């Protein structure tokens, strides 16, 4: 069965410091990985997808199949980045439809 | 365009009571999902639907039933609530890979 691990419950950094939110996965198939974010009093929303290889709000994430990791990085944290971040793996279900398996989340606190 | 809405926002049940959570989306999405979120565990998939009239089990389906009679609605039912079902429930819908989430329903079973 697939599994997503986010080892840090809380990551606290100062404004302007680099950020790296760790995500490791296990999946026997071809992985499709995402980062979702939930800002205070807002809904969970997609931040980025590994296939698109985009930089969203200064965040990037590279899929490393050798290390089975999909860490989220930003070179200079901003206070508005404070939120809950979830790594998610899309895996095939019995119906053939793919569904998301989420990690337990990491709360990022960016201090002024 | 309200996106994904969930009713109710909060509910307290006694053990053994039943209730239905309603999820509605106005984006004409084929796929809909119900998750539960417990402290330290992230979101876990309860049931999902790939289209009107179809439902399938997710990771933690026991104690729940679902129905998708209309494309825009996905109902989650608890026939006999248990304290272990105390959680925050999220509904989501999607057209392809991106899931759009509702605001959540906080359910407490005493």
């Amino acid at each position: 069965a697939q599994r997503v691990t986010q080892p840090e419950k809380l990551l606290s950094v100062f404004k302007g410091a680099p950020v790296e939110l760790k995500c490791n996965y296990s999946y026997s198939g071809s992985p499709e990985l995402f980062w979702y974010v939930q800002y205070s009093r807002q809904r969970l929303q997609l931040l980025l997808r590994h296939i698109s290889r985009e930089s969203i709000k200064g965040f990037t994430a590279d899929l490393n199949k050798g290390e089975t990791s999909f860490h989220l990085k930003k070179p200079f944290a901003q206070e508005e980045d404070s939120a809950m971040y979830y790594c998610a793996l899309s895996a095939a279900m019995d119906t053939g439809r793919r569904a998301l398996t989420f990690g337990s989340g990491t709360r990022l606190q960016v201090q002024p | 365009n309200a996106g994904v809405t969930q009713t109710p926002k909060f509910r307290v049940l006694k053990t053994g009571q039943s209730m239905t959570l309603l999820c509605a989306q106005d984006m004409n999405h084929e796929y809909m999902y119900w998750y539960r979120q417990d402290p330290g565990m992230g979101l876990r998939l309860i049931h999902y639907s790939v289209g009107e009239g179809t439902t399938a089990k997710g990771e933690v389906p026991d104690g729940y039933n679902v129905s998708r009679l209309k494309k825009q609605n996905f109902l989650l039912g608890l026939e006999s609530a248990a304290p272990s079902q105390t959680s925050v429930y999220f509904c989501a819908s999607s057209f392809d890979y991106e899931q759009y989430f509702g605001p959540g329903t906080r359910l407490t079973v005493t």
Side-chain angles (χ1 to χ4, degrees), chain A residues 9 32 34 36 38 43-46 49 84 86 93-105, chain B residues 2 4 31 33 35 37 40-43 45 48 50 56-58 90 94 96-99 101-103:
Chain A
K9 282 188 167 52
E32 189 172 356
F34 305 84
Y36 277 78
Q38 188 170 27
R43 302 176 185 206
L44 194 61
Q45 59 187 285
L46 178 66
R49 178 189 186 203
M84 195 75 181
Y86 293 94
M93 305 291 283
D94 292 341
T95 59
R97 175 66 188 161
R98 297 177 78 92
L100 292 176
T101 296
F102 284 86
S104 55
Chain B
V4 179
Y31 310 111
Y33 313 83
Y35 296 90
Q37 183 180 37
M41 297 191 72
L43 283 78
L45 184 64
Y48 64 103
V50 299
K57 293 180 180 180
F90 288 97
S94 70
D96 51 13
Y97 65 87
E98 181 173 359
Q99 293 191 17
F101 285 82

Side-chain angles (χ1 to χ4, degrees), chain A residues 39-96:
Chain A
Y39 300 101
S40 179
R41 289 185 290 278
Q42 293 188 28
R43 302 176 185 206
L44 194 61
Q45 59 187 285
L46 178 66
L47 179 62
L48 53 79
R49 178 189 186 203
H50 91 267
I51 287 178
S52 63
R53 301 183 66 81
E54 292 176 297
S55 172
I56 306 291
K57 298 185 179 183
F59 284 98
T60 59
D62 290 318
L63 177 61
N64 185 324
K65 292 187 179 180
E67 295 183 358
T68 59
S69 68
F70 188 54
H71 303 328
L72 184 67
K73 300 177 184 179
K74 184 169 183 177
F76 307 104
Q78 302 298 315
E79 288 182 68
E80 55 265 30
D81 296 328
S82 294
M84 195 75 181
Y85 290 81
Y86 293 94
C87 182
L89 167 71
S90 177
M93 305 291 283
D94 292 341
T95 59

Side-chain angles (χ1 to χ4, degrees), chain B residues 39-88:
Chain B
M41 297 191 72
L43 283 78
R44 291 183 292 167
L45 184 64
I46 305 171
H47 285 281
Y48 64 103
S49 169
V50 299
E52 183 179 316
T54 70
T55 64
K57 293 180 180 180
E59 181 187 353
V60 288
D62 294 341
Y64 305 95
N65 56 75
V66 287
S67 64
R68 183 104 181 264
L69 299 179
K70 293 183 179 180
K71 186 176 183 179
Q72 64 267 34
N73 295 337
F74 194 29
L75 279 63
L76 178 71
L78 286 74
E79 288 188 352
S80 179
S84 60
Q85 293 178 304
T86 293
S87 190
V88 180

Side-chain angles (χ1 to χ4, degrees), chain B residues 93-108:
Chain B
S93 71
S94 70
F95 172 70
D96 51 13
Y97 65 87
E98 181 173 359
Q99 293 191 17
Y100 294 82
F101 285 82
T105 295
R106 186 173 294 275
L107 175 67
T108 302

